[in-house]
Amino acid sequence: MHWEAIRKETAPAVPPRLADYDRVRSAFTWSQARAELSGLPGGGLNMAHEAVDRHAFSGNANKVALRCIARDDSVTTVTYAELMRRTSRFAGVLRSLCIGRGDRVFTLLGRCPELYTSVLGTLKNTSVLCPLFPAFGPDPVEQRLRLGDAQVLVTTADLYRRKVAERRTSVPGLKHVLIVGPGAEGLPGTSSLEDLMSEAPDTFTVPPTSPEDMALLHFTSGTTGTPKGAVHVHEAVVAHHATAAYALDLHPDDVYWCTADPGWVTGMSYGIIAPLAHGVTVVVDEGDYDARRWYRILGEQRVTVWYTAPTALRMLMRATPRQGPYDLPRSHDLSALRFVASVGEPLNPEAVVWGRDVLGLAVHDNWWQTETGSIMIANFAACDIRPGSMGRPLPGVDATVLKQDGEGRVQITDGRVTEVERPGAEGELALRPGWPSMFRGYLHDKKRYEAAFADGWYLTGDLVRRDADGWYWFVGRADDVIKSAGHLIGPFEVESALLEHPAVTEVGVIGRPDPVAGNVVKAFVSLREGVEPNPDLKRELLGFARRKLGPAVAPREISFDQNLPKTRSGKVMRRLLRARELGLPSGDVSTLEGSA
Ligand code: AMP
């Protein structure tokens, strides 16, 4: 079906930050973008200084930085001045524990005020923050703590008890566990964060910070092997700030809500750093998705700019169809809302148009990934929207489409890649490194980092098409990683967990397309000889995986299959499993076990 472009015929009430795409793009330089930040008083650049202290020292001290809505709907506000004091105390706590530059501080917390204090206090102290998604189970938590060399973990008594305590000895480098809220007394080897904070001074001088100092560590998944720790540096704040202006159209008086959890890169870059660097008021909801709750928050909090995800929009579409018994959006006052954007998975044209018809605002899709650290391709407030397209590259971002070889990898001949010239032809999306939030490496994994580049381009692993006018259209992933409800899941991590069950001998995990979540994780399992497949065993395996991996990663479906397709070297062929599941042609099966 062809979708008409959504034209921006009437000028928006608030003049867009990027009014003329071509003009801004041709004039843009990253050094100008850097000049919009203040830098540390003695030189250098520190994310937390840009996000907190510089506002607290200016006329914004009493402005609300965070409006935190708890699960019980109570609202706590934190001003920039108060956030400065709290983050200074947290930095002081780290210093008192002899945690310093480059040391890793992990958070495993819901979206409570202390999460924000811990993130920004860690950055002030020039330590490195690694957020963990609280819906991870004990396996992903332990693995990331270990791979990331965690020295400090900030969490709650409940999360610690359920996900870490029993595995503590497997992470010998973890020196301090700081407990938010009550319960530290009953837990050996932990301390109460509140007690430590009460003893720390509420002023802290940020030590000299080089823009190249490591600031954030974000784990992301690949097709094989352990999760990869993408390293980001303090300079990334330059890109967070510039892209939030251009792609999210942030203005100083905005009330901004990003629904992503800071356990994922979107919730960190655009839920914490970018909006605070702009000095806006950030709405934080501790609760989970609920259509009524979300419309209420948008209305009551007078949200002006909303950054969310396609799965969430599709759930809202289901809850509030264009014609239906409910009129949820209209029973809340959404008149403050002026810009809606989404990221993380393909945004179907229906959702873009639903936004226009039901919310009164079309949804602006944008594209980026953990490694890029900030938005790379976007639909802009001042530009028409082509529903289904991710938009065009941001100022300062040079993108292209590269030709693939027969195996689905970028074609490299004598070290050179070939750009796809023909409009609409498919290839792998590649970016020319040089923007400040580009990842600087995968922690302890130089090989995997180097493999992500060819001929001076960073290879994103995404397949796209570019039309004749330079708009990018998402096609799919070039590898086997799974996007489910906007979360990136490595099939290997799920397979490894299921293989630990004594009844299981082999596993292949794929994403099965789903109309709401994009994909759901599905595992195909071969059983040990003599074990009979039956519904009880299926339930047991689902529960086993869920206990280990947590609801964010665990498979939703399991199928028994004693004849998993394998390569001659014995590797389960996920591509073929997926083709079978979807009734698609099998493609190239020359490496299939048993083929001639
Ligand atoms: P993550 O690193 O977890 O943020 O996931 C990044 C991946 O999400 C990208 O490589 C894409 O596969 C997918 N993704 C992000 N944004 C979009 C989008 N607007 N449309 C389609 N896929 C997207």
Side-chain angles (χ1 to χ4, degrees):
M1 174 167 175
H2 174 72
W3 294 82
E4 287 290 316
I6 295 176
R7 306 232 173 262
K8 303 285 179 61
E9 268 143 10
T10 46
V14 179
R17 298 287 301 257
L18 183 151
D20 178 336
Y21 177 76
D22 294 319
R23 199 180 51 76
V24 174
R25 209 174 136 72
S26 63
F28 179 88
T29 64
W30 284 112
S31 56
Q32 272 168 9
R34 164 75 169 80
E36 292 199 13
L37 298 173
S38 61
L40 284 172
L45 186 67
N46 182 291
M47 274 184 182
H49 177 79
E50 300 303 327
V52 186
D53 290 12
R54 73 162 171 149
H55 305 300
F57 287 134
S58 74
N60 277 343
N62 295 323
K63 185 172 179 183
V64 173
L66 302 173
R67 249 190 242 159
C68 301
I69 308 165
R71 284 182 192 276
D72 65 5
D73 293 344
S74 58
V75 179
T76 315
T77 56
V78 183
T79 62
Y80 276 96
E82 178 58 20
L83 192 57
M84 177 168 80
R85 287 190 287 273
R86 290 189 192 183
T87 51
S88 291
R89 282 186 191 277
F90 188 89
V93 167
L94 292 182
R95 189 173 277 176
S96 72
L97 297 172
C98 298
I99 297 297
R101 185 183 303 276
D103 293 339
R104 314 280 152 67
V105 178
F106 279 57
T107 49
L108 178 66
L109 287 171
R111 292 178 294 277
C112 57
E114 290 82 357
L115 170 60
Y116 296 75
T117 307
S118 308
V119 167
L120 295 158
T122 298
L123 294 172
K124 271 191 175 178
N125 192 47
T126 62
S127 305
V128 175
L129 192 283
C130 180
L132 295 175
F133 188 43
F136 279 157
D139 276 18
V141 167
E142 177 197 328
Q143 192 170 39
R144 285 160 178 76
L145 288 171
R146 219 161 359 91
L147 290 171
D149 311 319
Q151 299 199 26
V152 180
L153 172 67
V154 190
T155 187
T156 62
D158 177 53
L159 287 167
Y160 179 72
R161 215 177 283 117
R162 289 195 287 122
K163 306 190 181 199
V164 184
E166 279 179 17
R167 321 270 189 117
R168 179 86 182 252
T169 48
S170 316
V171 194
L174 183 59
K175 294 187 195 143
H176 307 284
V177 174
L178 311 182
I179 298 292
V180 171
E185 343 42 82
L187 290 173
T190 71
S191 326
S192 155
L193 178 63
E194 203 181 323
D195 289 355
L196 293 171
M197 291 271 280
S198 67
E199 287 157 21
D202 65 5
T203 54
F204 183 89
T205 305
V206 174
T209 314
S210 153
E212 282 303 312
D213 280 351
M214 187 171 163
L216 298 166
L217 179 67
H218 278 290
F219 279 97
T220 184
S221 298
T223 300
T224 56
T226 54
K228 306 176 276 189
V231 171
H232 289 283
V233 298
H234 280 271
E235 196 195 14
V237 67
V238 176
H240 296 147
H241 186 260
T243 55
Y246 292 144
L248 303 178
D249 199 38
L250 272 192
H251 287 64
D253 290 335
D254 276 318
V255 175
Y256 166 83
W257 183 24
C258 169
T259 59
D261 189 276
W264 303 94
V265 74
T266 302
M268 177 63 67
S269 297
Y270 294 98
I272 305 182
I273 311 293
L276 294 177
H278 276 274
V280 307
T281 294
V282 180
V283 171
V284 175
D285 180 25
E286 194 184 17
D288 297 321
Y289 166 83
D290 173 86
R292 279 169 197 281
R293 180 180 181 90
W294 279 29
Y295 283 126
R296 206 184 61 231
I297 291 174
L298 287 171
E300 283 179 4
Q301 299 298 327
R302 310 287 299 150
V303 172
T304 57
V305 175
W306 189 36
Y307 194 24
T308 188
T311 294
L313 289 166
R314 286 190 289 265
M315 291 200 285
L316 286 178
M317 281 169 78
R318 287 212 160 175
T320 46
R322 243 172 281 188
Q323 282 112 23
Y326 306 112
D327 200 0
L328 267 175
R330 276 176 212 90
S331 54
H332 296 275
D333 177 7
L334 304 188
S335 58
L337 195 60
R338 63 170 187 83
F339 189 77
V340 181
S342 104
V343 72
E345 36 171 336
L347 182 67
N348 43 320
E350 293 85 349
V352 177
V353 173
W354 171 87
R356 182 194 61 188
D357 296 347
V358 176
L359 302 175
L361 295 165
V363 184
H364 296 73
D365 187 22
N366 58 53
W367 179 97
W368 60 292
Q369 53 181 197
T370 302
E371 287 85 346
T372 71
S374 65
I375 302 170
M376 297 282 106
I377 294 177
N379 287 281
F380 303 94
C383 305
D384 292 349
I385 296 177
R386 299 184 179 185
S389 165
M390 311 189 293
R392 291 176 288 174
L394 265 84
V397 173
D398 190 7
T400 195
V401 183
L402 298 180
K403 198 168 164 194
Q404 290 189 293
D405 62 17
E407 310 252 297
R409 284 186 288 262
V410 165
Q411 187 183 81
I412 305 172
T413 314
D414 299 331
R416 306 309 300 264
V417 296
T418 309
E419 292 186 50
V420 169
E421 301 292 346
R422 188 165 59 82
E426 194 177 305
E428 184 164 333
L429 174 63
L431 303 160
R432 183 74 79 190
W435 68 94
S437 66
M438 173 63 172
F439 77 129
R440 300 299 200 263
Y442 291 126
L443 193 70
H444 306 318
D445 206 340
K446 205 163 166 229
K447 257 202 183 140
R448 265 163 130 187
Y449 178 68
E450 284 167 359
F453 297 85
D455 197 10
W457 291 98
Y458 163 65
L459 314 178
T460 66
D462 278 7
L463 301 179
V464 297
R465 289 183 288 110
R466 180 176 49 192
D467 67 23
D469 304 320
W471 297 66
Y472 284 78
W473 302 74
F474 184 78
V475 173
R477 284 289 306 184
D479 58 17
D480 293 333
V481 292
I482 301 164
K483 261 279 157 132
S484 181
H487 298 147
L488 197 74
I489 295 166
F492 182 75
E493 199 163 5
V494 182
E495 290 161 357
S496 307
L498 279 167
L499 278 170
E500 285 183 33
H501 192 282
V504 175
T505 54
E506 273 164 346
V507 190
V509 166
I510 63 160
R512 182 181 62 66
D514 178 85
V516 175
N519 291 282
V520 293
V521 177
K522 175 161 186 172
F524 293 83
V525 170
S526 281
L527 297 174
R528 192 164 44 82
E529 225 181 282
V531 178
E532 281 304 310
N534 63 56
D536 283 345
L537 180 57
K538 197 178 277 190
R539 265 193 298 279
E540 183 185 321
L541 290 176
L542 285 169
F544 176 80
R546 203 178 154 93
R547 281 192 300 282
K548 289 172 80 60
L549 296 168
V553 184
R556 206 88 81 68
E557 293 173 12
I558 286 183
S559 241
F560 294 119
D561 185 338
Q562 292 303 103
N563 291 305
L564 291 176
K566 279 180 283 171
T567 60
R568 282 191 215 105
S569 59
K571 254 176 53 188
V572 175
M573 290 178 86
R574 301 182 191 119
R575 181 172 56 78
L576 216 58
L577 279 174
R578 201 172 137 80
R580 277 187 193 170
E581 175 75 12
L582 300 180
L584 298 173
S586 310
D588 179 10
V589 290
S590 56
T591 56
L592 183 67
E593 186 186 47
S595 66

